[in-house]
Amino acid sequence: MQLNRKLKESAEPSTLTVLLIEDSLEDGVAITKACVTGEALYDFKIIRKYTLEGGLDFLKSAKVDVVLLDLRLPDARELKAITTIHTLFPTLPIVVISGYSNINMIHEALASGAQEFLIKGESSGAVIRQSMYQAISRKRIEQAYIKGEKL
């Protein structure tokens, strides 16, 4: 109970800034539409980048609440994108949304720094939104634990 109170007491933005790193135009449109269609706790500002390099450049200059990340990018395959973002921005929540459905890849992605792993085409807008909320909460809890704060 105290944990929920602590999370609610923190300043919650009314808009979540989401960085979507996805090279497929079709998938990017579908993911964006899924995020903004339906009942949501927040409004979403979705910034779209097509490469890991473009996403990293954006992250260096702007505040982002969560990253939605594909694992098949022109400049990064499989775990490279996760490990790079997690290394450079360790407090940033990462939600992978990928066509991979191999259980080993899912475990490796989560072990490499992702908070959630969704499979393209199998995740509704509600599931994507909920995964982003959970990733943000998990990262806050993790950071509080690292700092030794009581929740």
Side-chain angles (χ1 to χ4, degrees), residues 120-146:
K120 287 181 185 176
E122 296 182 16
S123 302
S124 68
V127 168
I128 294 170
R129 289 188 302 273
Q130 186 64 32
S131 292
M132 287 189 292
Y133 304 150
Q134 290 173 336
I136 291 167
S137 292
R138 277 193 198 101
K139 190 51 90 165
R140 285 184 185 155
I141 293 166
E142 174 187 297
Q143 292 305 304
Y145 178 78
I146 289 169

Side-chain angles (χ1 to χ4, degrees), residues 56-70:
L56 293 174
D57 287 343
F58 185 80
L59 288 170
K60 291 173 186 172
S61 63
K63 183 189 179 309
V64 171
D65 295 300
V66 63
V67 173
L68 282 178
L69 179 65
D70 183 26

Side-chain angles (χ1 to χ4, degrees), residues 43-54:
D43 292 326
F44 293 96
K45 177 182 177 185
I46 300 176
I47 289 79
R48 171 95 183 277
K49 299 296 175 183
Y50 297 85
T51 63
L52 175 60
E53 182 180 350

Side-chain angles (χ1 to χ4, degrees), residues 71-83:
L71 294 184
R72 291 183 183 159
L73 300 169
D75 58 345
R77 295 282 183 196
E78 298 183 356
L79 302 175
K80 180 182 177 187
I82 299 169
T83 57

Side-chain angles (χ1 to χ4, degrees), residues 17-28:
T17 301
V18 179
L19 174 59
L20 171 60
I21 306 176
E22 167 63 67
D23 65 325
S24 166
L25 181 61
E26 182 179 290
D27 289 343

Side-chain angles (χ1 to χ4, degrees), residues 14 16-17 28 36 50 57 65 67 75 82 84-85 87 90-91 93 98 103 105 112 115-116 119 127 137 142 148:
S14 60
L16 289 180
T17 301
V36 300
Y50 297 85
D57 287 343
D65 295 300
V67 173
D75 58 345
I82 299 169
T84 302
I85 292 171
T87 299
T91 63
S98 179
I103 193 69
M105 177 60 70
S112 296
Q115 281 67 53
E116 294 276 336
I119 299 170
V127 168
S137 292
E142 174 187 297

